[in-house]
Amino acid sequence: MTSFIIGAHTNRKTPTEWKDDTDHDCSFCRIIAGELPSTRVYEDDKVIAILDILPLRHGHTLVIPKAHYSRVSELPPEYASAVGLAVTKVAHGLTKALGNTALNVVCNQEYAQAVPHVHYHIIPAPSFDSSAGAGAGVLGTVKEKEEKKDGTIPLTRGEMHQREFESREELDEDEGKNLAVRIRASL
């Protein structure tokens, strides 16, 4: 989650399902088991990487250990190292597939974590010189940038985050499959 959403989690009570570390009805465990669909870009015996179904930007990928652990602080060393290797490998493939070496890599623990299963987000950084829409830069269109040069007040950080959030669209299945092929080819 982006920082403007994090504030909404201040003083949030720990959800009941986090009290013990069983998989309950964990959506990631169900994806790993093949019970829910996903677009996998990487997999080994300890880790999977899938495209986010509601990507912040084009190429937003999740790296997930196959064993269910809610907190990264409790992830056993063999899974922590496997996830670290997968993050590096997937980040490399993603940068090659998209032609953009700028990335954000994020892992939340309880605070701002939407799914109680350890996962890392690899999010391509915005491109500030592209057109608006999903995958576009936070500043939006070239016209908006020209307006900024013309003396209007630039967007605040919060406004940029809000625009970024509002530009999110569900992952198109065919587009996701195409991107996954390109990422896998670059691993």
Side-chain angles (χ1 to χ4, degrees), residues 71-129:
R71 298 165 190 86
V72 70
S73 63
E74 297 170 358
L75 198 60
E78 64 272 16
Y79 282 97
S81 62
V83 168
L85 289 170
V87 165
T88 299
K89 186 173 266 194
V90 171
H92 176 79
L94 192 56
T95 61
K96 295 289 185 192
L98 297 178
N100 179 5
T101 59
L103 302 171
N104 294 323
V105 178
V106 179
C107 179
N108 298 307
Q109 177 168 300
E110 292 183 14
Y111 181 72
Q113 184 179 1
V115 178
H117 185 127
V118 172
H119 59 286
Y120 283 77
H121 297 257
I122 304 175
I123 308 166
S127 170
F128 290 99
D129 60 352

